[in-house]
Amino acid sequence: MAEQRVVIGIDSSTQSTKALAVDIDTGAVVGQGSAPHTVSGGGARESDPEQWWDALGAAVARTGWADRTAAVSVAAQQHGLVTLGADGRPVRPALLWNDVRSAPQAAELRAAIGTAELARRTGSVPTAAFTAAKWAWLRAHEPAAADRAAAVRLPHDFLTERLTGQAVTDRGDASGTGWWGGDGYDEDILARIGLDPALLPRVLAPGARAGTVRAGLPLRQGVPVATGTGDNMAAALGLGLLPGRPVLSLGTSGTVYAVGRSRPADPGGTVAGFADALGGWLPLACTLNCTLAVDRFAALLGRGRDDVEDGGTAVVLPYLDGERTPNLPAASGLIHGLRHDTTPGQLLQAAYDGAAHALLAALDEVLRAAGADPAGDEPLLLIGGGARGPAWQQTVLRLSGRAVQVPRAKELVALGAAAQAAALLTGESADAVARRWRTAEGPVLEAVQKDDDALERIGDTLRRARALQGAPA
């Protein structure tokens, strides 16, 4: 009998690290493990990268395959700023994607270069989420920490380097920094924010090997390590996503994206022109407030997350952490249109609607940027932690007017990383591996009539509340 070949894919997300051990031939998950992270509260969103490393070791060990895996790959949350000293240790906690303190620095960068020029050069218009703004914030507010930095990394870069000793990244994750221009680092932008390009990792070609596991680590020495990538790029791989197929991901953040053949350049900033982990592009829109924001509303109302009710005219903009789409980093949560007969269940449904609205409002722009027809009838792939929730499913159906498909496969970010690892051994592209594993298969929920009244009510409230939410009047 042939020996079973298994790879491990790792997802280092905002809240935890998950690891999946996956059979290369069948795609069956034969082991899994997880370990939590902590994130600071208040005005900052920071996390100690050392706990990511500890969590990786714990999660990998719990799969039962750490000493037998044939290859490994790491995917992780995008945008985070990891600063390392000369000893390879973090100078300070990492600034995470949802830390909006760098909004003024993002605005300064947009004003200095111009949104159209930034979109042309980097594919995106930077907001507070982008790593370039975070480095500029660090330079302005903690110059001593910036001066001590001997290396600047993204979360997946940091973990891959710990495994291999190699300072490398991939084009997908690099495209979320605001300083990568499609064919290399943009030295003018780096100069403007005071970042020496010598501190940055080398960008590997798609499908390249990052290195091998060093001795004395949680995984077996000598195991090949794939390039890894950002979480959204890994999920696209995990689905085996073909160009033009729309995806809506419901997690701590919400994203909507599709694979395209050419890099978009949206000067309005709604669509980020990210690269995928292969040779194409991943136009994407992202919100800061998604499942955790809605769960917070449920807790405030004393209801279960699916205890929603139809009807009512209340509008909730659940921008509890500021917002990225629309770009309102100083925003807070807002409730409008309460009546005597508004019920808690209706208010909770309004929170779902407000969270989904921002993503679905960007869907057509994302599809156009991907070169796809927004009026196409392909089902919307619904993934992420919220995808199996009945209230989320019904909200997306009602507000999108599209059929929705919910893949049976779980932990698609880790599956995408596993597909990258498998591709090192099989010679396939990682997305072809995932299609062979049939990861996107799942039930299709039939389309229902779009709730245009709710969409108009939310859009009208948002337009009238922009000044209140920190946008120019």
Side-chain angles (χ1 to χ4, degrees):
M1 181 179 294
E3 183 180 355
Q4 186 178 26
R5 294 190 303 166
V6 171
V7 294
I8 291 179
I10 298 163
D11 170 16
S12 180
S13 69
T14 312
Q15 305 291 333
S16 66
T17 294
K18 283 87 68 178
L20 295 183
V22 184
D23 184 286
I24 292 175
D25 297 317
T26 67
V29 175
V30 297
Q32 53 190 309
S34 65
H37 304 163
T38 58
V39 179
S40 66
R45 290 292 184 273
E46 299 182 350
S47 194
D48 181 3
E50 293 291 351
Q51 70 170 318
W52 304 340
W53 178 242
D54 292 341
L56 183 150
V60 164
R62 288 166 187 158
T63 69
W65 287 86
D67 59 347
R68 294 177 286 167
T69 185
V72 65
S73 186
V74 179
Q77 55 180 302
Q78 286 187 253
H79 302 305
L81 176 68
V82 181
T83 49
L84 305 177
D87 59 356
R89 300 289 178 179
V91 168
R92 69 177 314 285
L95 296 169
L96 302 188
W97 57 274
N98 54 350
D99 189 319
V100 298
R101 288 176 294 174
S102 52
Q105 286 70 36
E108 289 168 8
L109 196 57
R110 295 193 298 268
I113 299 178
T115 57
E117 179 67 6
L118 284 164
R120 185 188 69 80
R121 284 163 56 176
T122 70
S124 302
V125 178
T127 66
F130 282 63
T131 327
K134 297 185 184 304
W135 175 263
W137 181 90
L138 192 69
R139 268 274 168 229
H141 292 272
E142 298 181 15
D147 287 342
R148 290 200 306 274
V152 171
R153 302 288 183 261
L154 296 166
H156 117 261
D157 307 344
F158 167 75
L159 294 169
T160 299
E161 188 170 2
R162 278 286 177 93
L163 286 172
T164 65
Q166 301 299 311
V168 294
T169 189
D170 91 303
R171 64 193 295 275
D173 217 3
S175 67
T177 59
W179 59 55
W180 184 78
D183 56 0
Y185 293 124
D186 189 310
E187 296 199 8
D188 174 60
I189 292 175
L190 292 173
R192 285 178 181 273
I193 62 175
L195 178 56
D196 183 350
L199 274 58
L200 300 176
R202 179 166 52 95
V203 182
L204 295 175
R209 189 173 76 165
T212 58
V213 174
R214 295 182 296 166
L217 298 183
L219 290 147
R220 182 165 54 88
Q221 182 180 357
V223 168
V225 180
T227 54
T229 192
D231 52 3
N232 291 298
M233 296 79 195
L237 289 181
L239 290 165
L241 199 62
L242 292 169
R245 183 74 188 273
V247 179
L248 195 154
S249 177
L250 301 168
T252 305
S253 65
T255 56
V256 58
Y257 55 83
V259 170
R261 296 299 190 196
S262 59
R263 187 179 70 179
D266 173 18
T270 297
V271 179
F274 293 156
D276 68 6
L278 299 170
W281 302 90
L282 197 72
L284 176 149
C286 178
T287 62
L288 296 185
N289 299 277
C290 195
T291 57
L292 292 185
V294 173
D295 286 350
R296 181 60 183 149
F297 268 90
L300 289 170
L301 293 165
R303 298 181 76 87
R305 61 177 52 154
D306 290 310
D307 293 340
V308 296
E309 297 176 36
D310 295 334
T313 59
V315 170
V316 172
L317 303 180
Y319 302 161
L320 304 185
D321 291 319
E323 191 44 83
R324 172 172 168 176
T325 303
N327 184 23
L328 298 168
S332 57
L334 182 147
I335 300 172
H336 175 68
L338 287 179
R339 300 291 184 184
H340 275 289
D341 58 356
T342 302
T343 68
Q346 290 170 345
L347 200 56
L348 180 56
Q349 180 61 66
Y352 276 96
D353 288 0
H357 172 270
L359 291 166
L360 294 172
L363 176 60
D364 287 358
E365 292 183 60
V366 165
L367 287 170
R368 279 190 288 269
D373 182 2
D377 58 2
E378 274 199 289
L380 178 62
L381 283 165
L382 191 65
I383 66 170
R388 286 174 170 76
W392 276 114
Q393 290 177 0
Q394 293 304 311
T395 299
V396 172
L397 279 169
R398 184 171 53 82
L399 296 186
S400 71
R402 302 178 70 111
V404 168
Q405 184 170 11
V406 184
R408 292 189 183 90
K410 299 178 181 179
E411 304 298 350
L412 283 158
V413 173
L415 271 177
Q420 274 190 319
L424 286 180
L425 307 176
T426 67
E428 301 166 276
S429 66
D431 61 332
V433 171
R435 287 193 291 273
R436 178 166 56 78
W437 290 348
R438 302 167 69 177
T439 53
E441 291 185 357
V444 176
L445 310 177
E446 292 186 7
V448 301
Q449 184 173 352
K450 185 187 290 188
D451 189 345
D452 289 318
D453 289 343
L455 292 168
E456 176 56 32
R457 192 162 57 243
I458 298 166
D460 180 62
T461 301
L462 179 57
R463 284 188 292 272
R464 290 191 287 147
R466 286 183 70 86
L468 186 63
Q469 295 284 39

